[in-house]
Each structure stands twice: as structure tokens, then as C-alpha cells.
Amino acid sequence: MAPSMQRTTPDRPVARLVGNLLIFVIVLVALAATFFVARGFNQYREALAALPLDEMEQRIESASGFTPIQELPDLYLQAVVAVEDHRFYAHPGFDVIATGRALVDDLKAGAIVEGGSTITQQLAKNQYFTQEQTVERKVAEVFMALTMEQRFTKREILELYVNSIYFGDGYEGIGNASVGYFGKEPGALDAGECTLLAGIPNAPSAYALSENPDLARQRQCQVLKKLVAYDYLDEADARRIGAQGAGA
């Protein structure tokens, strides 16, 4: 029997080329990541030097309409957490799961359509940075959020957040929004008003009650669904609040 002839293929050179290309790509990604992290850290450091956390806190607390967290209805606070950052009490200021999901959605859309920001990151962005969507700004925001979580308790962060966010119609902070929209202090808000106000800051120009009350009610329904999903309300209570709207 004639000896079999073993066929030679160029598999080994191709595999070597692919391996080298992979290493090159990894190095490029690492260099890019280092570049953006360094720029973001510099932005964070400069922002913190210009406005220390204690001064930021005092600025919010001294603003008109500031309402201590113990005077806010539990349902309002639960609604904010449910709709904005349901893992708020578990993460250290940066939610890896939410960020990963947002990244996948952004890649699918081919644009930045979801930020994945936590409540702490939103507070950091609103107080220290612009709304510009850049990688280094996002990195700076994460550094600031992590620093805030070391300085403040979760309740303090939530208090600062709800007292500084914009509710449309010129109302900044939950105290001013409550008085401006409903003529009452936040502690007197009913269930419908709590869930309605919790949804507005997501897009205040769109959900402002003077402009688009119907859109605001639709957003309220989303808030109620989140409250049920994360076990703050049962289905029956959510349906009752949704049916009655503000004034429930």
C-alpha cells in the first residue's frame, strides 16, 4: 500500500496573523481606555477642586424650597428610586449592570440613546458637569459619584438629588414643584401627585404639566408599573392610583 500523503495547509501562518491582529486591537483598546480615563479623572479633580462636596451640599440646602428628606412622602421617594435607579441602595454609585445594558442598546442604535446613569451619577452630572455626551465626561461623572458615595449616606444623596432636579415650568427641586403645581408642601402630596412628580424630571420639557399633561399621565403609568415591578405597590393600589391620577 502506498504511503498516504499529508496535505499541508497555511493554517498556522493564518492563525499567527489573526493572533497578532487580536493583540494589536487589545493594545489599542487599552491605550484608548487609559487616555479617556486619564482625561476624565482630570475633569473630576478640577471640578471637585472648584466646588468641594460640602459647598455643593450647602448650596442645595440653602436654595428656596429645600425640603428635608424626612418631610417627603415615602411613596414619592420609592417612586423616584423605582423609576430612576432601582438598585440605588445596592450599588456603590456606579451600576455595572445598568451601564452594560445601556452600552448594548447604544451599540444597537448606533448612537447614545441610554446612559445607564445612577441617581448618584445624575446628581454628579447636574452639579458638576455639562450635559455633553462624551466618554471623558462620563468617566469624570463616575469618579465624582464614587466620591459622593464615600462622603454621603444614600438618604443624603437622595435628598440632594430630589431637591436639585428640574421639574419643568421653572420649578427646581421637589419643594418648589409641589407648591407650584399643586399649591401644597411636599409632605401633603397624595399618592397620585407623588407618582406624577416622580416621572417628570426624566424629560421636564416634555412632561411639564402646563405643556403636556397627557404625556405626564402616561409617564405616571410607567412609574406605577415600576413600583409594582419592584414590590413597592401591589397591582390593585397601582390601578387605583392610576385611575384617579393626581388627587388620589
Side-chain angles (χ1 to χ4, degrees):
M1 180 181 296
S4 61
M5 300 295 294
Q6 185 174 6
R7 180 178 299 176
T8 59
T9 65
D11 288 349
R12 191 169 297 173
V14 171
R16 187 180 300 115
L17 177 61
V18 171
N20 290 338
L21 286 174
L22 182 60
I23 292 173
F24 179 70
V25 170
I26 291 173
V27 170
L28 282 181
V29 170
L31 289 174
T34 301
F35 172 78
F36 286 117
V37 168
R39 285 177 60 89
F41 181 78
N42 285 335
Q43 282 191 18
Y44 147 76
R45 186 173 56 183
E46 291 170 1
L48 190 59
L51 182 65
L53 291 180
D54 289 345
E55 292 183 17
M56 181 273 296
E57 179 186 26
Q58 292 168 8
R59 184 173 68 180
I60 294 175
E61 290 178 346
S62 63
S64 64
F66 177 84
T67 306
I69 195 168
Q70 62 268 22
E71 297 179 14
L72 296 173
D74 287 341
L75 181 60
Y76 170 70
L77 298 172
Q78 292 165 352
V80 171
V81 170
V83 77
E84 294 290 345
D85 179 12
H86 71 274
R87 281 185 287 270
F88 173 66
Y89 293 105
H91 63 63
F94 174 71
D95 190 338
V96 175
I97 297 174
T99 301
R101 183 190 64 244
L103 179 60
V104 171
D105 292 342
D106 291 344
L107 290 174
K108 288 180 179 178
I112 298 177
V113 297
E114 185 177 349
S117 293
T118 65
I119 285 175
T120 316
Q121 286 177 259
Q122 292 179 54
L123 177 63
K125 176 180 64 178
N126 293 340
Q127 297 302 311
Y128 286 96
F129 306 109
T130 67
Q131 302 298 313
E132 184 183 9
Q133 294 278 20
T134 63
V135 175
E136 53 263 43
R137 198 274 295 159
K138 196 72 175 178
V139 171
E141 174 189 300
V142 170
F143 277 118
M144 189 67 74
L146 295 174
T147 303
M148 285 180 169
E149 292 270 350
Q150 294 176 351
R151 166 64 178 79
F152 303 116
T153 67
K154 288 289 188 178
R155 282 179 65 82
E156 288 171 338
I157 290 170
L158 188 56
E159 180 183 66
L160 293 171
Y161 175 73
V162 299
N163 277 286
S164 60
I165 49 179
Y166 186 57
F167 289 82
D169 288 327
Y171 302 130
E172 187 169 294
I174 180 60
N176 292 324
S178 179
V179 172
Y181 281 130
F182 303 116
K184 60 176 70 173
E185 295 297 324
L189 291 170
D190 59 40
E193 293 160 349
C194 284
T195 52
L196 190 63
L197 287 180
I200 292 176
N202 177 259
S205 60
Y207 299 133
L209 295 180
S210 66
E211 297 293 330
N212 298 301
D214 291 338
L215 279 180
R217 305 295 178 189
Q218 293 175 26
R219 176 64 176 166
Q220 180 189 28
C221 291
Q222 296 175 0
V223 173
L224 289 167
K225 288 179 181 178
K226 293 289 187 179
L227 283 164
V228 172
Y230 301 124
D231 297 324
Y232 291 112
L233 285 179
D234 59 32
E235 290 277 3
D237 285 337
R239 285 195 298 269
R240 176 182 59 81
I241 295 169
Q244 294 177 349

